[in-house]
Each structure stands twice: as structure tokens, then as C-alpha cells.
Amino acid sequence: MSGLRFDGWVPFRLYWQASEPGVEWVYMGANRFREPFFEDTIFFEVQTPFNSLFRFRTPLAALADWHAVSPGLKPAGFIFHLSRCGSTLITRMLASLPQNLVLSEPGLLDRALRSHERAPHAPPAQRVMWLQWLVSALGQSRTGLERRLFIKFDPRNIVDFPLLRLAFPEVPWIFVYRDPVEVMVSNLRAPSLLVTRGILGPDFLNFDGSLVAGMDDGEYAARVLGIVAEAAARHAVIAGGKLIGYGQLPDIVWGDLQRHFGIEFTPQEVDRLKQVATFDAKKPERRFENDAEAKNREATGHIRRLAAQWIAPHYARLEEIRRAQASD
């Protein structure tokens, strides 16, 4: 595989043959990631006539030479989040500027971060290289205008943060979160993969997996969200991540967030960010409407008790850390 070039191609799926990883590729040329999520863009790209005929696979190791020849954009920032809390708005705003390449929750990075499940004997150094090769391949400039790479990760990946930090020790990162009751209501209205039973392995859960069968959907969601919030607070203290509360959006993007990521937006770029913020992040054809009041009206006493028991203590810790950061 030495010497292969992948100009215009994007790895979109990580698969395993025994304990050896491989990737499947799709040709995108200069097309940008325009949909709210990485997988949405890939869904349309794989259905083009060309990709229906010419998709191919390689061992993940084939990316090593490509990384050496064409390292791609250096990550400018990583975005973690609690789920349903405004992180997609941030990625949509950043992606609206042509100099930014923004990848929102690429599934293959999630699988690479959990590579210990399929390759338990792979040393950390090997798993770090897998991540670096994948980010390099994903971070190739699409149009020639991009200068910065931002990646938003799946909510559960905050638990995998130590491995990501080994691979990218200098990249600034943020964690976005929201009032636990509002996050609970959103996840029970339309459950995300994070709170769907059977998705998370036993190594993620901090309780006996045999108890899951006896839980209602609300308790399971609350426990999982609590795990994410606890990990975020712990890593923010250790590794200096910036915490962003939902109520700070969208103004913080052209305020403290740009400074944290080492950016200086022009007045014209700020105008563009403000324009994007007036639309719904996941359904950009609609105007944004603040739904906090509606979610609080919808919250039952049971939801509030679960949020108070399993998420609220970690939320309070996140708020404490965020206020301390603001006073520094």
C-alpha cells in the first residue's frame, strides 16, 4: 500500500478484520461538509453514481504514508458536549466560514476511540497513531481555502478523552452543556444514540449492566448523561477545557470562544456568524426558537427527580468550574 494517494477521497467507515482496522473511502472531490452532521453529508455522497461503482477499502495502515505526504490541517479545536445542548449551533456557525473545515461527529473517530473493544491488545501508542492518521485523512483541505480544522465528537467520547489527549496534546477543547431537565426532555422526546439501550458497552457504564433491563427509559438516560457530565467536569479540571453553558450561546462564539481557539474573526465574519445563529442548527431552513420554557413545561416530576439524582450534582460542578474560569 506504500505510496498510495487519496486526493479528493474521504475515509467514512472504520471496519475490522479480526483485530486489524481498515477504512472505506468515498470520493468527494472539493465538496464541503454542508449538512449538520458528518454522516448526513456522507449519506448523500455514497449514493452518487461514481461512488456507487468505485468505492474502495484499504487497511488503516495505508494512511500512514498519506499522513507523511499530506498531513492535512492541524486541528484548531475539539468540541465535546452533553447532548442536545447547542453544540451543533457552534459547528454550523464555524462551518459557515470558508476557511474552516468542520467535522461533526464522524462515526469512524468514535469507533477509533473505542478501538480497545476490537483490538484489546493494541498498545496505546498504536491506537494514538490510528487516531492521528484518521484525523489527518479527514482534515485534508476540500477547496483549498480551509485553514482551520474543528471536530465535534459524540457525547460519549468525553470518556475517551485521555486517549485523544495523547494523540493531540496541544489542541484546545470545549465542553458544551445545558440544564439537565431540558437535556432529559429532549432525549426522551427523540432519543439520541447516547441514551439508546444496547449502544454503550459495559466499559462505559459505571453501574452493573444487568440493572438496565429493570430501568425505565428516563432512568437509563439520566444515568448515562450523568456519566458524561461527570467525565467532562473531571477532565476540565485536569486538562483545561473551556466550559460553555447553553445560555452563553451564541454570543460567546465571537467572544471568549474565538480567543480560546486562537481565532480573530473579522467584523464581516462576525456578521455571518450572527446570521447563521438566527436559524435552527439542525433544521437550518427554520428560524431559531428558544425552547427552554416549553421543555420545562413538558418535564414531569419523574424526569425532574431523575435529573436531580443523576445529573444535577455534576451539572453544579460544571457551573462551578465555568464560573472559576470566567474569573481567571
Side-chain angles (χ1 to χ4, degrees):
M1 288 296 176
S2 178
L4 281 180
R5 295 190 62 89
F6 301 100
D7 301 274
W9 293 84
V10 176
F12 74 94
R13 189 170 74 87
L14 183 70
Y15 67 91
W16 295 87
Q17 292 182 325
S19 60
E20 291 299 318
V23 289
E24 188 168 3
W25 298 81
V26 62
Y27 187 76
M28 287 183 58
N31 293 347
R32 287 171 56 85
F33 290 92
R34 298 186 181 280
E35 304 300 321
F37 293 92
F38 176 89
E39 307 299 340
D40 296 336
T41 296
I42 294 298
F43 175 80
F44 292 108
E45 292 290 342
V46 297
Q47 297 182 75
T48 64
F50 180 88
N51 282 312
S52 297
L53 293 171
F54 296 108
R55 287 208 312 269
F56 67 97
R57 296 178 173 184
T58 67
L60 182 56
L63 275 65
D65 289 340
W66 184 228
H67 171 65
V69 172
S70 182
L73 299 169
K74 180 181 178 181
F78 291 152
I79 300 166
F80 298 90
H81 60 109
L82 183 59
S83 172
R84 310 291 173 80
C85 57
S87 60
T88 302
L89 173 61
I90 295 175
T91 59
R92 296 291 283 175
M93 293 169 72
L94 292 173
S96 71
L97 303 179
Q99 63 268 42
N100 295 335
L101 171 57
V102 183
L103 306 173
S104 182
E105 301 186 24
L108 75 172
L109 289 185
D110 172 56
R111 286 185 281 278
L113 283 165
R114 294 183 292 111
S115 57
H116 60 279
E117 297 175 357
R118 299 299 300 268
H121 301 299
Q126 179 65 74
R127 298 172 60 212
V128 162
M129 284 192 292
W130 288 342
L131 280 170
Q132 291 171 337
W133 297 342
L134 283 169
V135 168
S136 171
L138 289 168
Q140 301 293 311
S141 177
R142 314 250 25 100
T143 66
L145 298 176
E146 298 95 340
R147 297 292 179 267
R148 297 184 292 257
L149 170 64
F150 297 96
I151 302 175
K152 185 179 84 160
F153 291 89
D154 185 276
R156 61 181 164 181
N157 292 146
I158 191 65
V159 174
D160 307 304
F161 181 82
L163 180 65
L164 193 66
R165 198 64 171 173
L166 284 175
F168 302 97
E170 304 300 326
V171 177
W173 62 280
I174 64 173
F175 182 82
V176 190
Y177 62 100
R178 185 174 181 173
D179 178 273
V181 170
E182 295 166 18
V183 175
M184 279 281 290
V185 168
S186 181
N187 271 282
L188 293 176
R189 276 180 184 171
S192 65
L193 284 178
L194 177 70
V195 301
T196 301
R197 299 167 194 253
I199 297 295
L200 300 174
D203 61 314
F204 180 94
L205 302 176
N206 61 1
F207 54 87
D208 184 352
S210 66
L211 300 175
V212 172
M215 298 179 187
D216 64 20
D217 292 343
E219 180 179 351
Y220 181 76
R223 284 180 176 244
V224 168
L225 290 165
I227 293 170
V228 172
E230 186 279 329
R234 176 162 34 89
H235 293 312
V237 170
I238 296 171
K242 183 172 185 58
L243 301 181
I244 295 180
Y246 179 77
Q248 296 177 280
L249 296 173
D251 302 53
I252 196 170
V253 175
W254 54 82
D256 287 349
L257 180 58
Q258 69 166 332
R259 291 184 283 274
H260 182 68
F261 283 157
I263 307 170
E264 187 173 349
F265 295 127
T266 67
Q268 294 77 18
E269 289 170 342
V270 171
D271 288 343
R272 175 59 179 159
L273 297 176
K274 290 179 178 180
Q275 180 184 14
V276 172
T278 63
F279 293 90
D280 187 286
K282 293 186 175 69
K283 298 177 180 178
E285 70 279 3
R286 299 182 183 179
R287 288 279 178 177
F288 170 76
E289 294 183 9
N290 191 318
D291 61 356
E293 184 177 342
K295 285 178 176 174
N296 274 281
R297 286 197 305 268
E298 188 176 333
T300 64
H302 181 56
I303 288 176
R304 294 184 181 278
R305 286 189 293 273
L306 290 171
Q309 180 176 1
W310 298 108
I311 314 172
H314 309 303
Y315 174 81
R317 178 60 177 149
L318 289 168
E319 288 283 82
E320 178 186 355
I321 299 168
R322 181 175 66 82
R323 286 192 292 268
Q325 291 177 344
S327 64
D328 288 343

